[in-house]
Amino acid sequence: MRILVRLLSTLLGLVVAAVGALLALEVGWAWWQPGKEPLLVPWPRWKTAIAELDWTSTPVRITAGIAVLAGLALLVLALGAGDRAVRMTDPADGITVNTSPRALARLVGLAVRAEDNVRGASVTASSRRVRVRATSRLETEEQLRPRLLETVAGVLDDLPLQRRPKVSVVVDSPKDR
């Protein structure tokens, strides 16, 4: 989501810069050649067309609706791209400590992969949930899952997290098939 917001903000910035450059070009041309036609944009025709419109006309209402929908879409995207940091308890007043979900997933992943009979593991983490998907060839899910839950709980207990995330562990094992 953040990538989309960054891309949209970059495109919007480029559009604003292009419109500003075009406006500066047109103003410079109008000052240099006051009686001539505009350089690129037909401002006088646009001015007469806009002067004929009133606030209750259909094109004005459609344009306003599109502007409102675009604004709401940008607002939803911006709110969805909020800070994903995992909050930790503050060591002192005025000091806040955060970590990234990636760092939390790495810590949990290192501990899970260090367990016996774990062939591999993928971990995704957020401030609300930690998901572990481990693979084992020697143990079934019933044998390995409780041990991995304890391991993840131990890692999370060692961290000064403000809010403890929910943990889910899934073990893929050929013995279960």
Side-chain angles (χ1 to χ4, degrees):
M1 188 68 81
R2 280 186 168 180
I3 293 172
L4 184 62
V5 170
R6 287 179 181 173
L7 179 68
L8 284 175
S9 63
T10 302
L11 288 175
L12 188 61
L14 289 173
V15 167
V16 168
V19 169
L22 183 64
L23 181 65
L25 239 158
E26 288 289 337
V27 168
W29 177 260
W31 283 349
W32 188 48
Q33 303 282 335
K36 302 274 184 167
E37 285 288 314
L39 185 62
L40 298 172
V41 181
W43 300 108
R45 273 189 278 151
W46 286 5
K47 183 180 175 185
T48 56
I50 291 173
E52 295 171 0
L53 296 175
D54 66 354
W55 290 105
T56 60
S57 65
T58 304
V60 172
R61 289 183 178 189
I62 290 172
T63 304
I66 291 171
V68 166
L69 290 176
L72 288 174
L74 287 174
L75 182 66
V76 166
L77 286 174
L79 290 175
D83 188 20
R84 303 274 188 232
V86 178
R87 309 253 186 259
M88 296 191 163
T89 55
D90 299 336
D93 290 336
I95 298 173
T96 58
V97 180
N98 299 327
T99 189
S100 68
R102 180 179 284 179
L104 180 60
R106 283 182 183 163
L107 284 173
V108 171
L110 286 172
V112 167
R113 288 182 198 97
E115 286 293 313
D116 292 336
N117 298 328
V118 173
R119 183 171 174 231
S122 66
V123 181
T124 57
S126 69
S127 60
R128 296 182 183 195
R129 171 169 281 156
V130 174
R131 293 183 184 135
V132 178
R133 184 167 201 90
T135 56
S136 174
R137 288 190 174 182
L138 302 175
E139 292 187 44
T140 64
E141 182 170 8
E142 294 170 355
Q143 296 168 331
L144 187 58
R145 187 173 183 273
R147 202 170 71 230
L148 292 182
L149 281 171
E150 284 181 29
T151 301
V152 174
V155 170
L156 294 177
D157 289 340
D158 291 344
L159 295 173
L161 298 172
Q162 276 186 358
R163 179 180 178 195
R164 185 181 174 95
K166 292 180 183 178
V167 177
S168 65
V169 176
V170 176
V171 178
D172 290 331
S173 175
K175 288 191 163 195
D176 290 331
R177 296 180 189 138

